[in-house]
Amino acid sequence: MSALAWLARRLGLYAVAAWAALTLGFALPRMVPGDPAAALLARLQGKAGPEAIAALRAALGVSDAPLVEQYGAYLLALTRGDLGVSVSRFPTPVAELIGGALGWTLLLAGVSVAISFVLGSALGLAAAWRGGVLDTVVGPALTLLGAFPYFWLAMGALHVFGFGLGWFPLRHAWDTSVAPAPTLEFGWGVVRHAALPALTLVGASVGGWMLGMRTSARSILATDQVLLARARGLPTARVVSAYVLRNAVLPHLTGFGMALGFVVSGALLTEVVFSYPGEGWLLVQAVRAQDYPLLQGLVLAITLAVLAANALVDVLTLLVDPRTRAA
Amino acid sequence: MHVRSRSRLVGALALLTGCADPVHDREGDALVVAQETQAAWTRNFNPFLPNGAARWPTRGGIYEPLLVYNRVAGEWTPWLADAWAWEEEGRALRFHLRSGVTWSDGEAFTAEDVAYTFTLLAEHPELDGLGVWRWVEAVEAQGDEVVFGLSRPFAPGLEDLAEQPIVPRHVWVEIADPLAWNNPDPVATGPYTEVVTFTSQVWELGRNPRYWQPGKPAVAKLRFPAFAGNDAANLALVNGEVDWAGNFVPAVGRTFVDRDRAHHVAWSPPVEATVYLYANTTVAPFSDRRVREALSLAIDRETLVTVAMDGLTHPADATGLSDALAGFRDPGVRAPWTDHDPAAAARILEAAGLPLVEGARTEPVDLLVVAGWSDWIRAAQLVARDLGAVGVPVRVRPVDFGGWLDRVQRGDFALTIGWSSQGSTPYAGYRDLMGSGTVRPVGEASGGNWHRYGSPAADALLARIEATADPDAQAPLYDQLQAVFAAELPAIPLFPAPAWGVANTRLFTGFPSPDDPWVTLSPNRPPEPLLLLTALEPR
């Protein structure tokens, strides 16, 4: 089978997965008891009668139509790129809400995952190659850091470095005293605001990447080919990059693709602790308020992101691993 | 080598952190308010939407009603209307409007605007959350007065009409679908109407240049940073970045007040509606009044308010009225069932035909409570312990809010802890606790009366109250209603809920406090915040 045919088959698989996820995103909210109009009116604390709820349901477009009919309308709207209108933030379009949060999430979680992956892999490789303090102290320390409950780590960091020492801003994605514009000052504010949440995200995950890389690098190091390469007197850099890294990174890439895909679902706890305006918070709110349209939109966005990341990893694997090309 | 890289790291850190937010030299012209929990703001000032969908000041700072109720004073404050009177033996209600009021765009405020607002409710039932058009027949502007014609005498209707935010006809008449309009630049009569800036993380609302109260508001603008959760808001509050907040602060005395006793104020008078333990009266054995009395006797309310509510409130009495309605309380109404007396509870259950068999008198009963509402969950756990002690085994079942509301409204529960209705009189509360008109069959959603109890004695009294607008004539009727409540025990009152409010008076003065209790400190019940927003001043 040629590489192209292999890719085509993968893409077909992705299409089926996307459809399944869309359908789940449609079905799951409807299995939960209660409905969005009631949740919206809940703040009236019992003052709203069933008549008002019924009128509001109609106005919000909460439908009692047969599920098949609703499903058809849902798919039809999707083909037009219409994600509907949020119920909890009526009448803001879902696409606008997701669009507003997506950039911040990609920036914070995306950069954090990338840093964590590169840093963790480098540390893991070094630990496997050189051993020493890196392997006996740094590795276990980072693993310990990753073992803390994340919200605890984030709130602790916020309390010590943000509140106590005052080194970092306590919340938000940019400096609210600076007008959002493509200026250096605004950009600097964005970096400063992302620094602490990104540090906590990297701190919580880098140990895992390091451990994974160290393990696979160790097993590669023990193989005869590495021994041969060293025996032939190849420079260390070449041995590490061409013989060890290239082989050790393969199982790692899949994990990286998964992590990258889930970036879009947002770093939920990070966003809540640091009041960062990303997708994770939207997701929580959508679930709490039973905001079906927003939930469906988010599920769609997350699904597409995970599938796209997987496709990317497939292509990367194709490039890195010659065996997949030959097969 | 090592030294250099470390110093470089420190240098980068210093650069990164050197210009952290200037926390303690905030500009003093903006009052910072934390009331809503949102990670990102959406620009919506539609006063017909419930709180949460429209931004908080919409109903408590931008748009104004005819009258504003002050729960601490227990009286109506004239607002857009300066006088009101019942006519035609309770079949008509006439409001006289204040003169000299203008909309923030310069147009005059007239009776036509008031009439138009209510006409909108009639044309769009989805806007009429309180259902006023069930008993209003007609609304008419007459000069500087507005007259509501009622289909029957309905004195308790005053508050539903009085607190409706009034919108300008000349703006809203252009809007095809008023529910779906986000109204980004509100034209209103309130003290704050001008949106100064609006971004997803912070927005500011400036004062109305044409406000009808001369010289007010004294504070130039309101500022709303987005806080994604209670913890984030609390951190900002403790850090001196928030002036007024309505969010729950755990152990508020230690974490907030003690940090600056001269300026940090926390005051939560128990004037919100009473929290009840509802027993579904369509389910045996709770249909038996004696069983409900025994459950009430079994509950240790003193421990309940100390442990679950941080001692911020007090046990409910046999009238079930919160402190907001203290003026209506009949001291003559006493019933022993609010005492903690497990022995008496056991005796009554025995007499009600529920003998103790292997340590239990009933099958295990589920007590529904909203997941995540930690104070109520703690209360539920204490109630479960107390009821278990008299032989009624209770399992606490936390349910997600939407599912909880759906189940209690449809009557699909045995026991639950929930809020109650409360208006400016005991009418709404008692109507929803024991009025036959609010009873729906199990399976059909009901806004109030989740426990499904109808009392003919209460019905007669409620009907007489509806027909009498004279407070002196109503007073004895309310006393009798309290007696009926104490005798029939339709639901089990636990404690009046505190109206949560905290303030930092370092930059602004005029906040109420336990020593100066002229209004609640809570921003959570619009339009009440209008009273405070027009009284605050920069220091």
Side-chain angles (χ1 to χ4, degrees), chain B residues 63 105 116 168-175 181 183 185 187:
Chain B
Y63 290 93
D105 63 355
Y116 178 75
R169 182 177 189 279
H170 65 277
V171 174
W172 287 76
V173 79
E174 312 277 334
I175 307 303
W181 189 39
N183 190 18
D185 294 293
V187 172

Side-chain angles (χ1 to χ4, degrees), chain A residues 95-159:
Chain A
E96 194 182 311
L97 285 174
I98 295 181
L102 191 61
W104 295 114
T105 289
L106 287 180
L107 180 78
L108 176 62
V111 170
S112 303
V113 166
I115 290 178
S116 189
F117 175 71
V118 172
L119 186 69
S121 300
L123 284 173
L125 194 61
W129 183 261
R130 298 255 301 265
V133 175
L134 203 57
D135 201 24
T136 52
V137 178
V138 176
L142 286 178
T143 310
L144 185 71
L145 195 65
F148 281 117
Y150 177 74
F151 71 91
W152 191 91
L153 189 73
M155 286 175 85
L158 181 66
H159 191 84

